[in-house]
Amino acid sequence: MKLEVVNEPTAEDRAAIAAPLVIYNRDHGPPADAKPLALLLKDNDGQTVGGLWGKTVYDWMYVELLAVPESMRGKGMGAALMRAAEDVAIARGCIGAWLDTFAFQARPFYEKLGYSIFGELADHPRGGSRYFLHKKF
């Protein structure tokens, strides 16, 4: 065996790393029932310009990415994306949602939607914080 640092890992590298964990979790944990969740925000030309990317797994929705173009912010699009994702999660049997955001990003936005902080990683990045938020349905 040898240890190799890879600066540009592939999707195959990730899959190989995840494989033993997936097997262990399947054998020792509850059913994951992991499903991707993507809501695409399209412009008038049909181009994807933002949206929401996440997954539902272990009865919770995880929001990995939420992006709304600067020109569309403040018009309710982010809230609409979150509501639509929550509706999908509820239909899939989820009991809540969680996500993370940095201090310079959208913490107040998520708190307005009913999310509350359950963790903070201070000095990430230095001088700032990364917040972990959740919401029970």
Side-chain angles (χ1 to χ4, degrees):
M1 298 294 258
K2 72 175 189 173
L3 176 68
E4 180 181 347
V5 175
V6 180
N7 291 322
E8 295 184 31
T10 65
E12 292 79 17
D13 293 328
R14 185 185 190 288
I17 292 168
L21 183 60
V22 168
I23 292 167
Y24 181 88
N25 290 351
R26 182 195 65 217
D27 292 346
H28 296 91
D33 194 26
K35 294 178 185 163
L37 176 59
L39 299 166
L40 307 180
L41 184 57
K42 304 258 186 180
D43 67 12
N44 291 335
D45 296 324
Q47 297 297 309
T48 301
V49 296
L52 183 145
W53 186 271
K55 64 183 173 182
T56 55
V57 61
Y58 292 126
D59 305 320
W60 282 75
M61 174 179 70
Y62 168 60
V63 178
E64 182 180 353
L65 302 169
L66 176 67
V68 176
E70 192 75 39
S71 64
M72 299 177 80
R73 292 186 186 158
K75 298 177 181 173
M77 189 54 62
L81 285 164
M82 289 297 293
R83 277 192 305 274
E86 290 172 1
D87 288 346
V88 170
I90 290 166
R92 292 181 182 180
C94 290
I95 61 169
W98 72 281
L99 53 88
D100 63 271
T101 190
F102 291 100
F104 61 87
Q105 290 179 327
R107 178 182 161 189
F109 165 77
Y110 294 117
E111 289 175 324
K112 272 193 224 178
L113 297 178
Y115 286 76
S116 59
I117 294 173
F118 69 88
E120 176 184 355
L121 182 58
D123 273 339
H124 183 53
R126 281 186 209 154
S129 285
R130 185 174 189 174
Y131 297 101
F132 297 84
L133 297 95
H134 77 294
K135 175 181 179 178
K136 293 281 289 237
F137 300 142

